[in-house]
């Protein structure tokens, strides 16, 4: 009887140790293509994150279906800290209102780990546009007989929703022109096919520094550190355009709380590392970090906010 009891205790201990065994690597599934802005942030932090975790971090790009391919990959993975999902706000807080059916549910299938960066939207125009700021751009749209064409990176994207917010806030006469990604929209903006574009600062900074585009206003409550001379829309009397294309890390549901806490600590330590922080700031993105609870609150808040706008405008994914 004693031997059987000791054997049971030993077996239980072995199983518990196996259940909480640390994986040898951590795979970060990025829901976008290699070389894009989300991928760039993941790679900027991967080496330091690996040091914090004490294991190798591998970036695995799984683009497609507006982030759903990457999401499904991660939600089916073992909840042991070995696989994480790195995504922008779209797949985490907008898709649920754009699609009648999604193969994943944020509350059911994922555990928040940490917010990683903020990416506010910037309104830009061609360098030759006579508008000196967003207020003048809006005023010019009202004087034209036809709506002013505005490009976006796709229907239901943050740039598209920013256009809708701008129109609602100011009465600007705008025509939404969706593209398959930011790059073709920016190219047509520089070519004069569209007159304006909202985009993440990291994707626009090089064009601004090269004199190919003009910054008209930041959709944020404060000025951007990379563009200190560009006024916010609020400073120009335009309220209600509150966009943030944040990026965050999520783990599969049922990942143990102690594992989530360890991952969160590693992410926040990584973002506080001066070399990583400087690298991210130089690209125009803002490293932030958060607790898992703070990320959960942001995800819920943005889901509700964007769902309200999507319903009001009857926006459907293409």
């Amino acid at each position: 009887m004693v031997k059987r009891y000791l054997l049971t205790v030993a077996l239980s201990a072995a199983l518990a140790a196996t259940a909480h065994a640390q994986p040898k690597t951590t795979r970060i599934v990025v829901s976008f293509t290699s070389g894009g802005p989300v991928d760039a942030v993941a790679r900027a932090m991967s080496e330091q994150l690996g040091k914090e975790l004490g294991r190798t971090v591998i970036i695995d790009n799984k683009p497609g279906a507006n982030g759903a391919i990457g999401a499904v990959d991660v939600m089916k993975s073992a909840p042991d800290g070995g696989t994480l999902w790195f995504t922008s706000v779209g797949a985490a807080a907008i898709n649920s209102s754009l699609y009648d059916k999604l193969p994943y549910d944020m509350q059911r299938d994922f555990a928040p780990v940490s917010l990683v960066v903020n990416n506010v939207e910037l309104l830009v125009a061609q360098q030759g546009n006579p508008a000196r700021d967003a207020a003048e751009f809006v005023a010019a749209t009202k004087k034209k007989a036809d709506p002013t064409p505005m490009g976006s990176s796709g229907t239901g994207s943050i740039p598209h929703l920013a256009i809708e917010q701008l129109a609602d806030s100011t009465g600007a006469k705008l025509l939404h022109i969706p593209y398959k990604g930011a790059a073709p929209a920016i190219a047509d903006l520089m070519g004069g096919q569209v007159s304006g574009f909202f985009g993440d600062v990291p994707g626009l900074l090089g064009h601004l520094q090269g004199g190919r585009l003009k910054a008209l206003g930041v959709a944020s409550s404060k000025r951007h550190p990379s563009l200190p001379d560009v006024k916010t829309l609020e400073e120009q009397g335009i309220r209600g355009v509150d966009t943030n294309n944040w990026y965050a890390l999520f783990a599969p549901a049922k990942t143990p709380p102690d594992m989530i806490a360890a991952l969160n600590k590693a992410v926040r330590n990584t973002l506080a590392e001066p070399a990583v922080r400087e690298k991210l700031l130089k690209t125009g993105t803002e490293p932030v970090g958060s607790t898992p609870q703070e990320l959960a609150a942001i995800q819920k808040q943005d889901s509700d906010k964007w769902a309200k706008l999507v319903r009001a405008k009857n926006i459907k994914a293409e």
Side-chain angles (χ1 to χ4, degrees), residues 126 186-194:
Q126 306 100 313
I186 293 170
D188 270 10
L189 175 63
M190 292 190 290
Q193 283 73 37
V194 294

Side-chain angles (χ1 to χ4, degrees), residues 35-78:
V38 182
D39 175 75
V41 172
R43 294 181 188 278
M45 62 184 296
S46 61
E47 183 178 351
Q48 184 62 35
L49 182 60
K51 292 178 182 178
E52 296 290 340
L53 291 171
R55 54 183 181 265
T56 303
V57 171
I58 300 167
I59 305 300
D60 188 6
N61 299 91
K62 298 278 185 180
N66 277 0
I69 291 176
V72 171
D73 181 297
V74 174
M75 80 180 198
K76 292 181 177 179
S77 299

Side-chain angles (χ1 to χ4, degrees), residues 67-92:
I69 291 176
V72 171
D73 181 297
V74 174
M75 80 180 198
K76 292 181 177 179
S77 299
D80 61 0
T83 303
L84 301 175
W85 184 36
F86 191 46
T87 183
S88 64
V89 66

Side-chain angles (χ1 to χ4, degrees), residues 11 20 33 37 74 81 84 86 101 105 114 133 180 218 220 271 293:
L11 181 59
H20 291 278
T33 56
V74 174
L84 301 175
F86 191 46
K101 291 183 179 180
D105 180 276
S114 177
D133 57 24
K180 293 186 181 298
V218 182
S220 174
L271 294 173
Q293 294 76 20

